[in-house]
Amino acid sequence: METTGGRLPRDAGGRDEVDRIVEAWRRERPDLDVSPLQVLSRVSRLARHLDLARRAAFAEHGLEVWSFDVLSALRRSGAPHQLTPGQLVTSTLVTSGTMTNRVDRLVAAGLVERHPDPADRRGVLVRLTTAGASRVDAAMADLLSRERRLLAGLGEQEQARLADVLRSLSSGFDAPAAGRGAPPPEL
């Protein structure tokens, strides 16, 4: 069997573990159409590799997935890199109580600050600190390097085609969140 770049091992015929799983299910349950496994089992396995790469990139910079999500939402918001807690809740799809706890932890770490909201006397703004911006920028650069390695087996055109196909597939799942005014969390 051949393994390249952390990808699934393939046998001499170019078959991978998913091909072997599908073949076994077809043998054991010929009455079932197991063709969705051809795509979704590979997506699931790739998602696991991506999750490991992300966690490693974030850990390298002293972050966890949740802290990267909050910091990156602030970083993407543009100068002065601040949002209300409600905007952070919407961006990261967590409860307000969870966000309060996360902001508290990031304030304690010196990565964000709370400031009074001039538009709402009772409100606050969560602002990225210089240290927070440096940390999230470094983690993002590291993440992109790891993600490029995951995609190294595909050329630019293949990556663009795959992105188009995945966009089509995921659009139905993302639409309900967008309809509620809550975009899906993104990096």
mmCIF file with all atom_site columns, all heavy atoms in Angstrom, residues 63-87:
data_model
loop_
_atom_site.group_PDB
_atom_site.id
_atom_site.type_symbol
_atom_site.label_atom_id
_atom_site.label_alt_id
_atom_site.label_comp_id
_atom_site.label_asym_id
_atom_site.label_entity_id
_atom_site.label_seq_id
_atom_site.pdbx_PDB_ins_code
_atom_site.Cartn_x
_atom_site.Cartn_y
_atom_site.Cartn_z
_atom_site.occupancy
_atom_site.B_iso_or_equiv
_atom_site.pdbx_formal_charge
_atom_site.auth_seq_id
_atom_site.auth_comp_id
_atom_site.auth_asym_id
_atom_site.auth_atom_id
_atom_site.pdbx_PDB_model_num
ATOM 1   N N   . LEU A 1 63 ? -3.505  28.772 21.453 1.00 0.00 ? 63 LEU A N   1
ATOM 2   C CA  . LEU A 1 63 ? -4.941  28.995 21.287 1.00 0.00 ? 63 LEU A CA  1
ATOM 3   C C   . LEU A 1 63 ? -5.678  27.666 21.211 1.00 0.00 ? 63 LEU A C   1
ATOM 4   O O   . LEU A 1 63 ? -5.089  26.638 20.893 1.00 0.00 ? 63 LEU A O   1
ATOM 5   C CB  . LEU A 1 63 ? -5.216  29.780 19.996 1.00 0.00 ? 63 LEU A CB  1
ATOM 6   C CG  . LEU A 1 63 ? -4.623  31.187 19.905 1.00 0.00 ? 63 LEU A CG  1
ATOM 7   C CD1 . LEU A 1 63 ? -4.854  31.767 18.514 1.00 0.00 ? 63 LEU A CD1 1
ATOM 8   C CD2 . LEU A 1 63 ? -5.220  32.094 20.973 1.00 0.00 ? 63 LEU A CD2 1
ATOM 9   N N   . GLU A 1 64 ? -6.960  27.734 21.496 1.00 0.00 ? 64 GLU A N   1
ATOM 10  C CA  . GLU A 1 64 ? -7.856  26.604 21.276 1.00 0.00 ? 64 GLU A CA  1
ATOM 11  C C   . GLU A 1 64 ? -8.787  26.999 20.141 1.00 0.00 ? 64 GLU A C   1
ATOM 12  O O   . GLU A 1 64 ? -8.815  28.157 19.722 1.00 0.00 ? 64 GLU A O   1
ATOM 13  C CB  . GLU A 1 64 ? -8.639  26.303 22.552 1.00 0.00 ? 64 GLU A CB  1
ATOM 14  C CG  . GLU A 1 64 ? -7.745  25.853 23.701 1.00 0.00 ? 64 GLU A CG  1
ATOM 15  C CD  . GLU A 1 64 ? -8.534  25.563 24.960 1.00 0.00 ? 64 GLU A CD  1
ATOM 16  O OE1 . GLU A 1 64 ? -9.560  24.864 24.859 1.00 0.00 ? 64 GLU A OE1 1
ATOM 17  O OE2 . GLU A 1 64 ? -8.139  26.050 26.023 1.00 0.00 ? 64 GLU A OE2 1
ATOM 18  N N   . VAL A 1 65 ? -9.577  26.056 19.665 1.00 0.00 ? 65 VAL A N   1
ATOM 19  C CA  . VAL A 1 65 ? -10.489 26.345 18.553 1.00 0.00 ? 65 VAL A CA  1
ATOM 20  C C   . VAL A 1 65 ? -11.409 27.509 18.915 1.00 0.00 ? 65 VAL A C   1
ATOM 21  O O   . VAL A 1 65 ? -11.586 28.432 18.123 1.00 0.00 ? 65 VAL A O   1
ATOM 22  C CB  . VAL A 1 65 ? -11.292 25.086 18.161 1.00 0.00 ? 65 VAL A CB  1
ATOM 23  C CG1 . VAL A 1 65 ? -12.360 25.428 17.138 1.00 0.00 ? 65 VAL A CG1 1
ATOM 24  C CG2 . VAL A 1 65 ? -10.368 23.999 17.617 1.00 0.00 ? 65 VAL A CG2 1
ATOM 25  N N   . TRP A 1 66 ? -11.990 27.485 20.111 1.00 0.00 ? 66 TRP A N   1
ATOM 26  C CA  . TRP A 1 66 ? -12.940 28.537 20.505 1.00 0.00 ? 66 TRP A CA  1
ATOM 27  C C   . TRP A 1 66 ? -12.261 29.904 20.570 1.00 0.00 ? 66 TRP A C   1
ATOM 28  O O   . TRP A 1 66 ? -12.838 30.905 20.154 1.00 0.00 ? 66 TRP A O   1
ATOM 29  C CB  . TRP A 1 66 ? -13.623 28.205 21.834 1.00 0.00 ? 66 TRP A CB  1
ATOM 30  C CG  . TRP A 1 66 ? -12.702 28.212 23.029 1.00 0.00 ? 66 TRP A CG  1
ATOM 31  C CD1 . TRP A 1 66 ? -12.078 27.148 23.586 1.00 0.00 ? 66 TRP A CD1 1
ATOM 32  C CD2 . TRP A 1 66 ? -12.295 29.359 23.785 1.00 0.00 ? 66 TRP A CD2 1
ATOM 33  N NE1 . TRP A 1 66 ? -11.298 27.539 24.642 1.00 0.00 ? 66 TRP A NE1 1
ATOM 34  C CE2 . TRP A 1 66 ? -11.417 28.900 24.794 1.00 0.00 ? 66 TRP A CE2 1
ATOM 35  C CE3 . TRP A 1 66 ? -12.579 30.719 23.717 1.00 0.00 ? 66 TRP A CE3 1
ATOM 36  C CZ2 . TRP A 1 66 ? -10.838 29.752 25.726 1.00 0.00 ? 66 TRP A CZ2 1
ATOM 37  C CZ3 . TRP A 1 66 ? -12.003 31.572 24.644 1.00 0.00 ? 66 TRP A CZ3 1
ATOM 38  C CH2 . TRP A 1 66 ? -11.136 31.084 25.638 1.00 0.00 ? 66 TRP A CH2 1
ATOM 39  N N   . SER A 1 67 ? -11.035 29.959 21.093 1.00 0.00 ? 67 SER A N   1
ATOM 40  C CA  . SER A 1 67 ? -10.367 31.257 21.212 1.00 0.00 ? 67 SER A CA  1
ATOM 41  C C   . SER A 1 67 ? -9.985  31.786 19.834 1.00 0.00 ? 67 SER A C   1
ATOM 42  O O   . SER A 1 67 ? -10.099 32.984 19.564 1.00 0.00 ? 67 SER A O   1
ATOM 43  C CB  . SER A 1 67 ? -9.154  31.186 22.142 1.00 0.00 ? 67 SER A CB  1
ATOM 44  O OG  . SER A 1 67 ? -8.234  30.201 21.734 1.00 0.00 ? 67 SER A OG  1
ATOM 45  N N   . PHE A 1 68 ? -9.564  30.887 18.937 1.00 0.00 ? 68 PHE A N   1
ATOM 46  C CA  . PHE A 1 68 ? -9.277  31.310 17.575 1.00 0.00 ? 68 PHE A CA  1
ATOM 47  C C   . PHE A 1 68 ? -10.547 31.850 16.916 1.00 0.00 ? 68 PHE A C   1
ATOM 48  O O   . PHE A 1 68 ? -10.499 32.865 16.220 1.00 0.00 ? 68 PHE A O   1
ATOM 49  C CB  . PHE A 1 68 ? -8.692  30.164 16.747 1.00 0.00 ? 68 PHE A CB  1
ATOM 50  C CG  . PHE A 1 68 ? -8.377  30.578 15.344 1.00 0.00 ? 68 PHE A CG  1
ATOM 51  C CD1 . PHE A 1 68 ? -7.191  31.213 15.040 1.00 0.00 ? 68 PHE A CD1 1
ATOM 52  C CD2 . PHE A 1 68 ? -9.290  30.354 14.318 1.00 0.00 ? 68 PHE A CD2 1
ATOM 53  C CE1 . PHE A 1 68 ? -6.905  31.621 13.746 1.00 0.00 ? 68 PHE A CE1 1
ATOM 54  C CE2 . PHE A 1 68 ? -9.016  30.759 13.022 1.00 0.00 ? 68 PHE A CE2 1
ATOM 55  C CZ  . PHE A 1 68 ? -7.822  31.395 12.734 1.00 0.00 ? 68 PHE A CZ  1
ATOM 56  N N   . ASP A 1 69 ? -11.679 31.192 17.127 1.00 0.00 ? 69 ASP A N   1
ATOM 57  C CA  . ASP A 1 69 ? -12.944 31.646 16.536 1.00 0.00 ? 69 ASP A CA  1
ATOM 58  C C   . ASP A 1 69 ? -13.273 33.079 16.957 1.00 0.00 ? 69 ASP A C   1
ATOM 59  O O   . ASP A 1 69 ? -13.643 33.905 16.122 1.00 0.00 ? 69 ASP A O   1
ATOM 60  C CB  . ASP A 1 69 ? -14.101 30.722 16.923 1.00 0.00 ? 69 ASP A CB  1
ATOM 61  C CG  . ASP A 1 69 ? -14.070 29.397 16.199 1.00 0.00 ? 69 ASP A CG  1
ATOM 62  O OD1 . ASP A 1 69 ? -13.318 29.252 15.209 1.00 0.00 ? 69 ASP A OD1 1
ATOM 63  O OD2 . ASP A 1 69 ? -14.809 28.485 16.630 1.00 0.00 ? 69 ASP A OD2 1
ATOM 64  N N   . VAL A 1 70 ? -13.136 33.371 18.232 1.00 0.00 ? 70 VAL A N   1
ATOM 65  C CA  . VAL A 1 70 ? -13.456 34.716 18.730 1.00 0.00 ? 70 VAL A CA  1
ATOM 66  C C   . VAL A 1 70 ? -12.440 35.733 18.198 1.00 0.00 ? 70 VAL A C   1
ATOM 67  O O   . VAL A 1 70 ? -12.815 36.788 17.681 1.00 0.00 ? 70 VAL A O   1
ATOM 68  C CB  . VAL A 1 70 ? -13.501 34.746 20.273 1.00 0.00 ? 70 VAL A CB  1
ATOM 69  C CG1 . VAL A 1 70 ? -13.691 36.170 20.784 1.00 0.00 ? 70 VAL A CG1 1
ATOM 70  C CG2 . VAL A 1 70 ? -14.618 33.845 20.796 1.00 0.00 ? 70 VAL A CG2 1
ATOM 71  N N   . LEU A 1 71 ? -11.159 35.417 18.333 1.00 0.00 ? 71 LEU A N   1
ATOM 72  C CA  . LEU A 1 71 ? -10.124 36.347 17.871 1.00 0.00 ? 71 LEU A CA  1
ATOM 73  C C   . LEU A 1 71 ? -10.212 36.588 16.370 1.00 0.00 ? 71 LEU A C   1
ATOM 74  O O   . LEU A 1 71 ? -10.045 37.719 15.904 1.00 0.00 ? 71 LEU A O   1
ATOM 75  C CB  . LEU A 1 71 ? -8.733  35.835 18.253 1.00 0.00 ? 71 LEU A CB  1
ATOM 76  C CG  . LEU A 1 71 ? -8.445  35.725 19.748 1.00 0.00 ? 71 LEU A CG  1
ATOM 77  C CD1 . LEU A 1 71 ? -7.078  35.083 19.979 1.00 0.00 ? 71 LEU A CD1 1
ATOM 78  C CD2 . LEU A 1 71 ? -8.548  37.066 20.445 1.00 0.00 ? 71 LEU A CD2 1
ATOM 79  N N   . SER A 1 72 ? -10.476 35.545 15.608 1.00 0.00 ? 72 SER A N   1
ATOM 80  C CA  . SER A 1 72 ? -10.549 35.726 14.155 1.00 0.00 ? 72 SER A CA  1
ATOM 81  C C   . SER A 1 72 ? -11.791 36.520 13.753 1.00 0.00 ? 72 SER A C   1
ATOM 82  O O   . SER A 1 72 ? -11.741 37.289 12.787 1.00 0.00 ? 72 SER A O   1
ATOM 83  C CB  . SER A 1 72 ? -10.467 34.393 13.417 1.00 0.00 ? 72 SER A CB  1
ATOM 84  O OG  . SER A 1 72 ? -11.594 33.599 13.661 1.00 0.00 ? 72 SER A OG  1
ATOM 85  N N   . ALA A 1 73 ? -12.891 36.380 14.488 1.00 0.00 ? 73 ALA A N   1
ATOM 86  C CA  . ALA A 1 73 ? -14.077 37.200 14.205 1.00 0.00 ? 73 ALA A CA  1
ATOM 87  C C   . ALA A 1 73 ? -13.744 38.673 14.414 1.00 0.00 ? 73 ALA A C   1
ATOM 88  O O   . ALA A 1 73 ? -14.130 39.529 13.604 1.00 0.00 ? 73 ALA A O   1
ATOM 89  C CB  . ALA A 1 73 ? -15.240 36.769 15.090 1.00 0.00 ? 73 ALA A CB  1
ATOM 90  N N   . LEU A 1 74 ? -13.028 38.976 15.493 1.00 0.00 ? 74 LEU A N   1
ATOM 91  C CA  . LEU A 1 74 ? -12.617 40.358 15.753 1.00 0.00 ? 74 LEU A CA  1
ATOM 92  C C   . LEU A 1 74 ? -11.639 40.841 14.689 1.00 0.00 ? 74 LEU A C   1
ATOM 93  O O   . LEU A 1 74 ? -11.759 41.964 14.186 1.00 0.00 ? 74 LEU A O   1
ATOM 94  C CB  . LEU A 1 74 ? -11.995 40.478 17.145 1.00 0.00 ? 74 LEU A CB  1
ATOM 95  C CG  . LEU A 1 74 ? -12.956 40.284 18.309 1.00 0.00 ? 74 LEU A CG  1
ATOM 96  C CD1 . LEU A 1 74 ? -12.196 40.070 19.608 1.00 0.00 ? 74 LEU A CD1 1
ATOM 97  C CD2 . LEU A 1 74 ? -13.906 41.463 18.414 1.00 0.00 ? 74 LEU A CD2 1
ATOM 98  N N   . ARG A 1 75 ? -10.693 40.014 14.312 1.00 0.00 ? 75 ARG A N   1
ATOM 99  C CA  . ARG A 1 75 ? -9.676  40.407 13.328 1.00 0.00 ? 75 ARG A CA  1
ATOM 100 C C   . ARG A 1 75 ? -10.301 40.680 11.964 1.00 0.00 ? 75 ARG A C   1
ATOM 101 O O   . ARG A 1 75 ? -9.951  41.637 11.280 1.00 0.00 ? 75 ARG A O   1
ATOM 102 C CB  . ARG A 1 75 ? -8.613  39.305 13.225 1.00 0.00 ? 75 ARG A CB  1
ATOM 103 C CG  . ARG A 1 75 ? -7.464  39.638 12.297 1.00 0.00 ? 75 ARG A CG  1
ATOM 104 C CD  . ARG A 1 75 ? -6.625  40.761 12.871 1.00 0.00 ? 75 ARG A CD  1
ATOM 105 N NE  . ARG A 1 75 ? -5.426  40.966 12.106 1.00 0.00 ? 75 ARG A NE  1
ATOM 106 C CZ  . ARG A 1 75 ? -5.285  41.914 11.172 1.00 0.00 ? 75 ARG A CZ  1
ATOM 107 N NH1 . ARG A 1 75 ? -6.271  42.740 10.894 1.00 0.00 ? 75 ARG A NH1 1
ATOM 108 N NH2 . ARG A 1 75 ? -4.138  42.030 10.532 1.00 0.00 ? 75 ARG A NH2 1
ATOM 109 N N   . ARG A 1 76 ? -11.250 39.836 11.577 1.00 0.00 ? 76 ARG A N   1
ATOM 110 C CA  . ARG A 1 76 ? -11.917 40.004 10.284 1.00 0.00 ? 76 ARG A CA  1
ATOM 111 C C   . ARG A 1 76 ? -12.847 41.210 10.247 1.00 0.00 ? 76 ARG A C   1
ATOM 112 O O   . ARG A 1 76 ? -13.210 41.675 9.163  1.00 0.00 ? 76 ARG A O   1
ATOM 113 C CB  . ARG A 1 76 ? -12.765 38.760 9.943  1.00 0.00 ? 76 ARG A CB  1
ATOM 114 C CG  . ARG A 1 76 ? -12.002 37.520 9.630  1.00 0.00 ? 76 ARG A CG  1
ATOM 115 C CD  . ARG A 1 76 ? -12.919 36.414 9.106  1.00 0.00 ? 76 ARG A CD  1
ATOM 116 N NE  . ARG A 1 76 ? -14.200 36.300 9.776  1.00 0.00 ? 76 ARG A NE  1
ATOM 117 C CZ  . ARG A 1 76 ? -14.466 35.479 10.783 1.00 0.00 ? 76 ARG A CZ  1
ATOM 118 N NH1 . ARG A 1 76 ? -13.530 34.698 11.264 1.00 0.00 ? 76 ARG A NH1 1
ATOM 119 N NH2 . ARG A 1 76 ? -15.670 35.416 11.306 1.00 0.00 ? 76 ARG A NH2 1
ATOM 120 N N   . SER A 1 77 ? -13.230 41.719 11.401 1.00 0.00 ? 77 SER A N   1
ATOM 121 C CA  . SER A 1 77 ? -14.201 42.822 11.445 1.00 0.00 ? 77 SER A CA  1
ATOM 122 C C   . SER A 1 77 ? -13.613 44.134 10.937 1.00 0.00 ? 77 SER A C   1
ATOM 123 O O   . SER A 1 77 ? -14.351 45.071 10.671 1.00 0.00 ? 77 SER A O   1
ATOM 124 C CB  . SER A 1 77 ? -14.748 43.006 12.866 1.00 0.00 ? 77 SER A CB  1
ATOM 125 O OG  . SER A 1 77 ? -13.763 43.562 13.724 1.00 0.00 ? 77 SER A OG  1
ATOM 126 N N   . GLY A 1 78 ? -12.302 44.202 10.791 1.00 0.00 ? 78 GLY A N   1
ATOM 127 C CA  . GLY A 1 78 ? -11.657 45.421 10.318 1.00 0.00 ? 78 GLY A CA  1
ATOM 128 C C   . GLY A 1 78 ? -11.399 46.380 11.467 1.00 0.00 ? 78 GLY A C   1
ATOM 129 O O   . GLY A 1 78 ? -11.980 46.263 12.547 1.00 0.00 ? 78 GLY A O   1
ATOM 130 N N   . ALA A 1 79 ? -10.528 47.364 11.215 1.00 0.00 ? 79 ALA A N   1
ATOM 131 C CA  . ALA A 1 79 ? -10.166 48.330 12.257 1.00 0.00 ? 79 ALA A CA  1
ATOM 132 C C   . ALA A 1 79 ? -11.428 49.031 12.748 1.00 0.00 ? 79 ALA A C   1
ATOM 133 O O   . ALA A 1 79 ? -12.301 49.351 11.947 1.00 0.00 ? 79 ALA A O   1
ATOM 134 C CB  . ALA A 1 79 ? -9.160  49.335 11.711 1.00 0.00 ? 79 ALA A CB  1
ATOM 135 N N   . PRO A 1 80 ? -11.573 49.208 14.013 1.00 0.00 ? 80 PRO A N   1
ATOM 136 C CA  . PRO A 1 80 ? -10.631 48.967 15.118 1.00 0.00 ? 80 PRO A CA  1
ATOM 137 C C   . PRO A 1 80 ? -10.710 47.567 15.719 1.00 0.00 ? 80 PRO A C   1
ATOM 138 O O   . PRO A 1 80 ? -10.327 47.350 16.861 1.00 0.00 ? 80 PRO A O   1
ATOM 139 C CB  . PRO A 1 80 ? -11.038 50.018 16.146 1.00 0.00 ? 80 PRO A CB  1
ATOM 140 C CG  . PRO A 1 80 ? -12.516 50.155 15.968 1.00 0.00 ? 80 PRO A CG  1
ATOM 141 C CD  . PRO A 1 80 ? -12.768 49.940 14.489 1.00 0.00 ? 80 PRO A CD  1
ATOM 142 N N   . HIS A 1 81 ? -11.178 46.590 14.952 1.00 0.00 ? 81 HIS A N   1
ATOM 143 C CA  . HIS A 1 81 ? -11.216 45.186 15.377 1.00 0.00 ? 81 HIS A CA  1
ATOM 144 C C   . HIS A 1 81 ? -11.984 45.012 16.679 1.00 0.00 ? 81 HIS A C   1
ATOM 145 O O   . HIS A 1 81 ? -11.478 44.474 17.659 1.00 0.00 ? 81 HIS A O   1
ATOM 146 C CB  . HIS A 1 81 ? -9.800  44.608 15.484 1.00 0.00 ? 81 HIS A CB  1
ATOM 147 C CG  . HIS A 1 81 ? -9.016  44.785 14.236 1.00 0.00 ? 81 HIS A CG  1
ATOM 148 N ND1 . HIS A 1 81 ? -9.310  44.127 13.061 1.00 0.00 ? 81 HIS A ND1 1
ATOM 149 C CD2 . HIS A 1 81 ? -7.960  45.590 13.947 1.00 0.00 ? 81 HIS A CD2 1
ATOM 150 C CE1 . HIS A 1 81 ? -8.469  44.502 12.129 1.00 0.00 ? 81 HIS A CE1 1
ATOM 151 N NE2 . HIS A 1 81 ? -7.652  45.387 12.622 1.00 0.00 ? 81 HIS A NE2 1
ATOM 152 N N   . GLN A 1 82 ? -13.229 45.474 16.638 1.00 0.00 ? 82 GLN A N   1
ATOM 153 C CA  . GLN A 1 82 ? -14.074 45.348 17.815 1.00 0.00 ? 82 GLN A CA  1
ATOM 154 C C   . GLN A 1 82 ? -15.492 44.997 17.393 1.00 0.00 ? 82 GLN A C   1
ATOM 155 O O   . GLN A 1 82 ? -15.945 45.370 16.317 1.00 0.00 ? 82 GLN A O   1
ATOM 156 C CB  . GLN A 1 82 ? -14.076 46.637 18.632 1.00 0.00 ? 82 GLN A CB  1
ATOM 157 C CG  . GLN A 1 82 ? -14.680 47.826 17.923 1.00 0.00 ? 82 GLN A CG  1
ATOM 158 C CD  . GLN A 1 82 ? -14.543 49.110 18.720 1.00 0.00 ? 82 GLN A CD  1
ATOM 159 O OE1 . GLN A 1 82 ? -13.724 49.201 19.642 1.00 0.00 ? 82 GLN A OE1 1
ATOM 160 N NE2 . GLN A 1 82 ? -15.332 50.106 18.381 1.00 0.00 ? 82 GLN A NE2 1
ATOM 161 N N   . LEU A 1 83 ? -16.171 44.253 18.259 1.00 0.00 ? 83 LEU A N   1
ATOM 162 C CA  . LEU A 1 83 ? -17.557 43.859 18.046 1.00 0.00 ? 83 LEU A CA  1
ATOM 163 C C   . LEU A 1 83 ? -18.272 43.858 19.382 1.00 0.00 ? 83 LEU A C   1
ATOM 164 O O   . LEU A 1 83 ? -17.633 43.766 20.438 1.00 0.00 ? 83 LEU A O   1
ATOM 165 C CB  . LEU A 1 83 ? -17.630 42.450 17.433 1.00 0.00 ? 83 LEU A CB  1
ATOM 166 C CG  . LEU A 1 83 ? -17.047 42.255 16.031 1.00 0.00 ? 83 LEU A CG  1
ATOM 167 C CD1 . LEU A 1 83 ? -16.958 40.764 15.698 1.00 0.00 ? 83 LEU A CD1 1
ATOM 168 C CD2 . LEU A 1 83 ? -17.887 42.988 14.995 1.00 0.00 ? 83 LEU A CD2 1
ATOM 169 N N   . THR A 1 84 ? -19.577 43.924 19.329 1.00 0.00 ? 84 THR A N   1
ATOM 170 C CA  . THR A 1 84 ? -20.364 43.768 20.556 1.00 0.00 ? 84 THR A CA  1
ATOM 171 C C   . THR A 1 84 ? -20.381 42.274 20.897 1.00 0.00 ? 84 THR A C   1
ATOM 172 O O   . THR A 1 84 ? -20.196 41.424 20.014 1.00 0.00 ? 84 THR A O   1
ATOM 173 C CB  . THR A 1 84 ? -21.806 44.256 20.368 1.00 0.00 ? 84 THR A CB  1
ATOM 174 O OG1 . THR A 1 84 ? -22.472 43.397 19.433 1.00 0.00 ? 84 THR A OG1 1
ATOM 175 C CG2 . THR A 1 84 ? -21.861 45.711 19.915 1.00 0.00 ? 84 THR A CG2 1
ATOM 176 N N   . PRO A 1 85 ? -20.640 41.946 22.144 1.00 0.00 ? 85 PRO A N   1
ATOM 177 C CA  . PRO A 1 85 ? -20.787 40.525 22.485 1.00 0.00 ? 85 PRO A CA  1
ATOM 178 C C   . PRO A 1 85 ? -21.881 39.853 21.647 1.00 0.00 ? 85 PRO A C   1
ATOM 179 O O   . PRO A 1 85 ? -21.727 38.697 21.237 1.00 0.00 ? 85 PRO A O   1
ATOM 180 C CB  . PRO A 1 85 ? -21.137 40.551 23.970 1.00 0.00 ? 85 PRO A CB  1
ATOM 181 C CG  . PRO A 1 85 ? -20.477 41.806 24.470 1.00 0.00 ? 85 PRO A CG  1
ATOM 182 C CD  . PRO A 1 85 ? -20.650 42.791 23.344 1.00 0.00 ? 85 PRO A CD  1
ATOM 183 N N   . GLY A 1 86 ? -22.959 40.568 21.351 1.00 0.00 ? 86 GLY A N   1
ATOM 184 C CA  . GLY A 1 86 ? -24.028 40.006 20.526 1.00 0.00 ? 86 GLY A CA  1
ATOM 185 C C   . GLY A 1 86 ? -23.548 39.678 19.122 1.00 0.00 ? 86 GLY A C   1
ATOM 186 O O   . GLY A 1 86 ? -23.927 38.645 18.550 1.00 0.00 ? 86 GLY A O   1
ATOM 187 N N   . GLN A 1 87 ? -22.728 40.531 18.550 1.00 0.00 ? 87 GLN A N   1
ATOM 188 C CA  . GLN A 1 87 ? -22.169 40.254 17.222 1.00 0.00 ? 87 GLN A CA  1
ATOM 189 C C   . GLN A 1 87 ? -21.239 39.045 17.269 1.00 0.00 ? 87 GLN A C   1
ATOM 190 O O   . GLN A 1 87 ? -21.213 38.238 16.332 1.00 0.00 ? 87 GLN A O   1
ATOM 191 C CB  . GLN A 1 87 ? -21.428 41.481 16.689 1.00 0.00 ? 87 GLN A CB  1
ATOM 192 C CG  . GLN A 1 87 ? -22.348 42.624 16.324 1.00 0.00 ? 87 GLN A CG  1
ATOM 193 C CD  . GLN A 1 87 ? -21.582 43.921 16.049 1.00 0.00 ? 87 GLN A CD  1
ATOM 194 O OE1 . GLN A 1 87 ? -20.647 44.268 16.778 1.00 0.00 ? 87 GLN A OE1 1
ATOM 195 N NE2 . GLN A 1 87 ? -21.997 44.627 15.006 1.00 0.00 ? 87 GLN A NE2 1
#
